[in-house]
Amino acid sequence: MKSGRSINIFKNIFGSKMSLFAKTNALIIIFFIPVIILFTYSNEVSSNVIVKELKASNMKQLSFLSSQIESRISQTMDFMTTFSRDPNVRKFNGINLWDDRYDRMQTRYAIQEKMVLQSGVMNIWPVEFTVYSELNKEGISNKSTMVDYDEDYLKRNITGKWIYGDGQEAEKNIKKAFHLFYSDSFSEQDALDKTNLVIKSSFYPENIQNILDTYKEGGQGDPIFYLNGEAPILNRSADPELINKLVQFLDEKTLENSMQEVVELDEQQYLISAVNSSSLGWFLVDIVPLDQILGPISFSRNLFYFAMGLIFIVGISLSVLLYRNIQSPIRKLIHGLQRVQRGDFSVRISSSVNNEFAFLFYRFNDMSQQIQELIDNVLNEKLRAREATLRQLQAQINPHFLYNCIGYMINMAQLKDEEAVVSMGHNLSAYYRYMTRLERPTASLNEEVQLIINYLDIQKLRNGRIHYHIDIPEEMLKGQIPRLMLQPIVENAVIHGVGKTYSSGEIRIKGEISEGFSKIYVDDDGPGMTDEQFMSLNRSMKQPLQDDTGYGFWNTNQRLIHQFGENSQLIFSKSDIGGFRTEITWELPATIDQDQQSHQKGEQ
């Protein structure tokens, strides 16, 4: 069940709408995580096994070393017991009572010879032996110096067990040694009975150091011989700084017969092992630097992590390279195709890569440009065809308009109103003179305004309710606009505004220059439209020509855009005088805009 869920999760991740870049990075991460986890676990297991084996080996070696010391001490103690029963030693106890000088000298020589011989046999563990006779108050030793009998000294040190130091070092400036005082008395070993022999065995810390040095040669540690309250006995190549820290640690611990612990000293881990010497009461302590022993494993682990990190960086770099050189160009191409699909053929794809996609981008840009040019050509042909149709319709309408005007003139002539006939004839002549001059596609705004005045005067003669007001700045009248741009707008205000009701008749035409744009407002006080109709009409100006769209408005809007750019347009809204407002907006060329601003500053 769990494996099935994992597969489903994997399918959900890689079957989703993630990008190729995201999927590649997710795959790299999914690959790396279990590898690192498994390696870390394996490395931890290996380290634990090594540490465990190291602990067992270290404890075994320390136990063996302790047994060697115990063996040396046991041999010494056996010799003392045997030596106390030697005839010459027994004879030495009463030597001054019945032997002559020669016999006494022979006896002393024989005792010294046996003590020297015993010490020579144990050359790795040299021991000093001393025999004290309680009866004749004398002492003899294998030392090079003479030995004095001191009963207080014997009473103070005869304890029946090994002691470190005999209480005289401070006075005589003699270095400490390990001592054992043995009495041949059948009574307790910690008292003198005034008649028996006392044998003293002594060995110095050098014996311990010899064994510690031998141990250190075959291991990784730094062994010492330790007893709380005494200066530790070190091997001869010990690290004093490390041993001081070790002693500080041991002084704070309560040691049992054996101890083993991993501790951290100076930010490094050490294995500390301790074994008690039952005869001397001291502890054999070994400190092993785990970091040095586990160093090769740690190095291999770090090397593996470094290699995995390097592989991860290479993988991510390849993923980024794949994204930049494949996925990113594909996304640009898809985005460009989507814009072309929406009808935006002005899109161009730029790219900094120099590969196969550069050729595709070049061909896409070329295709988009050709389609745009083809559409522009078709649109221009459409506009020209629409203009031809408009002229044809105007040619059909103008005779009717002319007949009405001539009929008006006949009626006014019959009524002997010569002024009306002259006015109509003058305006009609100027109107048709302008309408029939089609050699130029553009005209000045002043010429267009004169045409509108002639047209409105004619309409005013026919319909006395019509009155108009024109307010256009002088600097606007010099500008060039498409011919007959205002005439369809004003004609719509007369026919569909003033002509629809008997209570309206006002037409206002106002012009202004604002923020680099020329604007003309044509208002009437007719019935107007609803807000929804205004929104629909404005929306239709941005769409292809529909059957229910007014051709005059749409054609004028397209001519504006074609001549002045995309920021030019017709906007329809409710007039301030209650009827229909047409706002004609076109962008001024940069040079003209700067001249207008300079002119306005000069006037200020």
Side-chain angles (χ1 to χ4, degrees), residues 16-171:
S16 62
K17 294 183 179 180
M18 293 173 62
S19 64
L20 180 61
F21 178 71
K23 289 180 180 179
T24 303
N25 290 339
L27 185 62
I28 292 174
I29 293 173
I30 290 174
F31 169 75
F32 270 87
I33 289 176
V35 171
I36 292 176
I37 291 176
L38 290 175
F39 175 79
T40 303
Y41 173 75
S42 175
N43 183 266
E44 189 70 20
V45 170
S46 300
S47 298
N48 291 338
V49 169
I50 292 176
V51 171
K52 183 178 179 180
E53 292 297 324
L54 180 63
K55 287 181 177 181
S57 175
N58 193 254
M59 187 59 71
K60 188 181 296 184
Q61 291 178 4
L62 273 183
S63 298
F64 177 74
L65 183 65
S66 177
S67 66
Q68 286 186 313
I69 296 176
E70 292 297 321
S71 175
R72 298 288 189 274
I73 293 174
S74 178
Q75 291 179 13
T76 303
M77 294 177 67
D78 291 343
F79 172 75
M80 293 173 67
T81 303
T82 305
F83 190 56
S84 66
R85 291 173 174 78
D86 185 88
N88 290 317
V89 174
R90 303 299 297 179
K91 186 178 180 180
F92 173 71
N93 194 25
I95 194 171
N96 292 329
L97 297 178
W98 47 78
D99 288 342
D100 57 22
R101 180 178 294 181
Y102 177 78
D103 288 338
R104 289 198 300 270
M105 184 178 64
Q106 285 291 104
T107 301
R108 294 174 67 90
Y109 177 77
I111 294 172
Q112 283 184 327
E113 191 70 21
K114 289 183 178 181
M115 289 188 295
V116 171
L117 181 62
Q118 177 64 24
S119 181
V121 170
M122 302 171 61
N123 56 356
I124 194 174
W125 189 268
V127 180
E128 290 183 355
F129 295 101
T130 305
V131 179
Y132 294 97
S133 172
E134 294 182 66
L135 189 61
N136 57 24
K137 310 299 182 184
E138 287 188 17
I140 185 172
S141 174
N142 63 343
K143 293 193 299 184
S144 58
T145 58
M146 296 294 294
V147 177
D148 297 328
Y149 182 86
D150 186 347
E151 187 171 339
D152 292 335
Y153 169 77
L154 294 177
K155 288 180 179 180
R156 187 172 62 247
N157 290 284
I158 186 167
T159 60
K161 57 184 179 180
W162 288 93
I163 59 174
Y164 186 59
D166 56 6
Q168 293 184 336
E169 284 76 3
E171 299 176 2

Side-chain angles (χ1 to χ4, degrees), residues 299-526:
F299 177 77
S300 300
R301 179 198 60 202
N302 296 335
L303 187 62
F304 174 81
Y305 287 151
F306 175 77
M308 293 300 290
L310 187 62
I311 294 173
F312 182 78
I313 292 174
V314 171
I316 296 297
S317 301
L318 290 176
S319 178
V320 172
L321 190 64
L322 179 69
Y323 175 79
R324 291 185 58 186
N325 290 275
I326 297 180
Q327 185 176 356
S328 181
I330 289 177
R331 292 181 65 182
K332 287 184 178 180
L333 193 58
I334 291 175
H335 181 66
L337 291 173
Q338 289 173 343
R339 291 181 60 181
V340 169
Q341 187 179 12
R342 292 193 297 265
D344 182 9
F345 297 100
S346 63
V347 61
R348 300 291 183 270
I349 302 178
S350 60
S351 177
S352 58
V353 298
N354 187 18
N355 53 23
E356 292 81 358
F357 284 100
F359 175 75
L360 289 178
F361 292 162
Y362 170 76
R363 298 307 302 168
F364 174 85
N365 294 338
D366 187 46
M367 176 196 70
S368 182
Q369 182 178 359
Q370 291 180 10
I371 293 176
Q372 186 178 22
E373 292 176 354
L374 180 62
I375 290 177
D376 289 342
N377 292 336
V378 171
L379 180 61
N380 291 334
E381 291 297 328
K382 256 185 170 182
L383 291 176
R384 284 192 286 269
R386 295 288 186 181
E387 287 187 18
T389 303
L390 177 61
R391 291 178 181 176
Q392 182 182 3
L393 292 175
Q394 287 179 340
Q396 294 173 356
I397 296 172
N398 285 338
H400 180 69
F401 174 69
L402 179 61
Y403 298 153
N404 291 336
C405 292
I406 293 175
Y408 172 81
M409 293 173 68
I410 294 172
N411 291 334
M412 292 299 103
Q414 291 176 348
L415 294 175
K416 305 300 182 180
D417 190 349
E418 295 179 357
E419 184 178 353
V421 174
V422 172
S423 178
M424 176 64 79
H426 176 72
N427 287 303
L428 192 62
S429 173
Y431 178 78
Y432 272 95
R433 184 183 302 113
Y434 186 80
M435 291 289 289
T436 55
R437 291 174 59 188
L438 303 176
E439 69 276 4
R440 289 189 298 125
T442 61
S444 67
L445 181 57
N446 186 48
E447 292 175 324
E448 286 287 300
V449 170
Q450 291 301 320
L451 173 66
I452 296 304
I453 292 173
N454 291 330
Y455 174 76
L456 291 175
D457 285 343
I458 291 172
Q459 295 291 355
K460 186 175 182 181
L461 289 171
R462 295 177 59 197
N463 186 349
R465 289 185 295 105
I466 295 178
H467 59 280
Y468 64 90
H469 177 73
I470 300 177
D471 180 15
I472 298 178
E474 187 69 28
E475 60 269 18
M476 284 185 66
L477 296 175
K478 300 177 184 180
Q480 295 289 315
I481 61 173
R483 283 177 62 84
L484 302 178
M485 183 181 76
L486 293 178
Q487 195 274 339
I489 308 299
V490 176
E491 183 177 353
N492 180 78
V494 172
I495 297 174
H496 297 286
V498 176
K500 288 292 181 72
T501 63
Y502 293 101
S503 61
S504 61
E506 183 179 0
I507 295 176
R508 294 181 184 177
I509 302 174
K510 181 182 179 181
E512 66 177 12
I513 296 176
S514 175
E515 298 179 355
F517 287 88
S518 290
K519 297 180 180 180
I520 294 179
Y521 305 95
V522 180
D523 295 279
D524 64 66
D525 60 349

Side-chain angles (χ1 to χ4, degrees), residues 145-281:
T145 58
M146 296 294 294
V147 177
D148 297 328
Y149 182 86
D150 186 347
E151 187 171 339
D152 292 335
Y153 169 77
L154 294 177
K155 288 180 179 180
R156 187 172 62 247
N157 290 284
I158 186 167
T159 60
K161 57 184 179 180
W162 288 93
I163 59 174
Y164 186 59
D166 56 6
Q168 293 184 336
E169 284 76 3
E171 299 176 2
K172 299 183 179 180
N173 198 22
I174 301 174
K175 62 182 179 179
K176 285 187 176 183
F178 290 92
H179 306 284
L180 176 63
F181 291 82
Y182 173 79
S183 172
D184 66 344
S185 172
F186 292 103
S187 61
E188 295 181 359
Q189 287 291 320
D190 57 353
L192 295 176
D193 59 1
K194 304 294 185 178
T195 59
N196 292 332
L197 291 168
V198 176
I199 301 175
K200 181 180 93 170
S201 295
S202 303
F203 65 89
Y204 290 94
E206 285 79 0
N207 293 13
I208 304 293
Q209 284 183 316
N210 293 337
I211 293 181
L212 294 180
D213 290 342
T214 304
Y215 175 84
K216 187 174 181 179
E217 290 176 359
Q220 299 282 344
D222 212 353
I224 65 172
F225 207 51
Y226 166 82
L227 180 65
N228 193 354
E230 297 287 352
I233 300 174
L234 313 181
N235 63 83
R236 291 180 176 84
S237 59
D239 182 358
E241 184 177 353
L242 177 62
I243 297 303
N244 287 336
K245 294 175 182 177
L246 173 61
V247 171
Q248 292 176 7
F249 169 77
L250 294 174
D251 288 343
E252 298 174 357
K253 300 284 291 185
T254 300
L255 300 179
E256 303 295 337
N257 289 333
S258 64
M259 182 274 292
Q260 197 166 50
E261 188 174 342
V262 176
V263 299
E264 186 172 331
L265 302 175
D266 282 346
E267 299 181 353
Q268 291 189 8
Q269 286 191 329
Y270 293 90
L271 173 63
I272 298 177
S273 304
V275 175
N276 179 252
S277 173
S278 58
S279 298
L280 302 179

